[in-house]
Amino acid sequence: MPDAFIFDHVRSPRGRGKSDGSLHEVTALNLAAQTLAAVRDRNNLDTKLIDDVVMGCVDPVGEAGGDIARAAALVAGLGNHVPGVQINRFCASGLDAVNFASAQVMSGQHDMTIGGGVESMSRVGIGASGGAWPVDPTIAVSHYFMPQGISADLIATKYGFSRDDVDALAVESQKRAAKAWEDGRFKKSVLTVKDVNGLTILDKDEHMRPTTTMQSLASLQPSFVQMGEMGGFDAVAVQRYPEVESITHVHHAGNSSGIVDGAAAVLIGSKEAGARAGLKPRARIKAFANIGSEPGIMLTGPVDVTHKVLKKAGMKLSDIDLIEINEAFASVVLRFMQAFNTDNSRINVNGGAIAMGHPLGATGAMLVGTALDELERTGKSTALITLCIGAGMGTATIIERV
């Protein structure tokens, strides 16, 4: 089976996912197109070599609908011959897009592909595409549906994470992200988003709050109390996990992932395709995996899928130099650390989604790029990228620097 190599990656800065965010004026289509064009231009790439574009988008409706990957490839000027497909596995869509694109190469059916994702959360609101999971009793009742915030608080309650624990992780995320930007660690991979006149709209993640402290977070009220108590979801959580007796609400906007706009793209191909394009491989896709996890608690999938992908790769967690786990909520990362009895010295070393935000369909691809850049910066070898997923799933990928 041919190896799939990463030749380059690029991402947009993350803009605040509100009407006053810098990227609000930029459609998802334009944001994705600028990212694809950057991959082409940075590598002087003959787009006749590109066999497919795979892009994650979690709410592919309205202006973000209609197979945005194909539309973005056309707007980017990659050529009529370049196809595109949009995929959705909720928060792991961007990582799965990289995995799907890699699988096309590994199968020998395609030679060079692009995997990535896009989400304009300021323009197409979270949940805009709807779905049966939260509203159809056929699945919601029998599988103990609860909103993700309740699931995050359930994890904290069940596994013993206090308000101080989740807040401390959030403060560390902010510090690490600020340090990474200060040191220029993202500079070579973050494009400058421009308007139709070529003027700069945004060139840096704007969701960060580097002055965050434990004291400032302590002033925030938990976000999911009313939803849990008045909405009845605490009762659902206790019914599914009676051992917790009651839910302790610890998550709020400061220790949960930020709502942002963003896009990312990863250039993938066989070694031979790279040689034809004059490109040098930067990393190899070593293994990837998906798994279903318990849908009520929902967000513990990274633990389960990490066991699976490590087994596929013939590795132990101690063999992994760097870990990128999406900070959907602080308790997700804390549970991962607890399950593997590890500290955070190699986890999200440049901060995560609590500080910089989580553009749903793009985040996984962004994390692949962040991990690769950090491997190169530090001279390390292997990285694990994983995300929790709505409805109880996990996706993970291991990359190896070459």
Side-chain angles (χ1 to χ4, degrees), residues 132-154:
W133 174 241
V135 297
D136 187 334
T138 306
I139 186 171
V141 174
S142 60
H143 289 81
Y144 300 92
F145 168 77
M146 59 192 88
Q148 287 193 2
I150 304 297
S151 296
D153 285 339
L154 172 58

Side-chain angles (χ1 to χ4, degrees), residues 7 45 49 51 105 110-113 268-279:
F7 295 102
L45 184 63
L49 299 174
D51 293 308
V105 173
H110 287 168
D111 298 319
M112 182 167 285
T113 57
I268 300 160
S270 66
K271 183 174 289 187
E272 293 75 16
R276 287 194 293 272
L279 301 176

Side-chain angles (χ1 to χ4, degrees), residues 8-15 23 26 29-42 55 76 117-118 181 186-195 199-205 261-266 366 373:
D8 197 18
H9 71 91
V10 67
R11 73 167 175 92
S12 74
R14 299 170 175 99
L23 296 182
V26 185
L29 173 59
N30 189 267
L31 195 58
Q34 288 198 41
T35 308
L36 294 176
V39 168
R40 176 198 60 207
D41 296 344
R42 285 158 56 99
M55 300 201 80
V118 64
W181 271 104
F186 300 133
K187 187 175 181 180
K188 70 177 182 179
S189 302
V190 175
L191 64 89
T192 297
V193 178
K194 298 183 178 182
D195 65 13
L199 300 177
T200 296
I201 297 175
L202 187 66
D203 60 4
K204 183 178 180 180
D205 297 326
D261 304 333
V266 181
M366 288 184 171
D373 284 350

Side-chain angles (χ1 to χ4, degrees), residues 258-305:
I259 295 173
V260 294
D261 304 333
V266 181
L267 181 62
I268 300 160
S270 66
K271 183 174 289 187
E272 293 75 16
R276 287 194 293 272
L279 301 176
K280 181 180 178 181
R282 295 172 61 184
R284 179 171 72 94
I285 303 292
K286 186 173 179 67
F288 54 82
N290 298 96
I291 204 167
S293 58
E294 204 283 301
I297 205 166
M298 196 184 308
L299 307 175
T300 56
V303 174
D304 302 325
V305 78

Side-chain angles (χ1 to χ4, degrees), residues 176 323-327 333 344 346-353:
R176 291 182 177 190
I323 299 167
E324 288 289 330
I325 174 171
N326 187 38
E327 295 173 351
V333 182
N344 68 349
R346 54 183 168 151
I347 298 175
N348 299 351
V349 297
N350 292 316

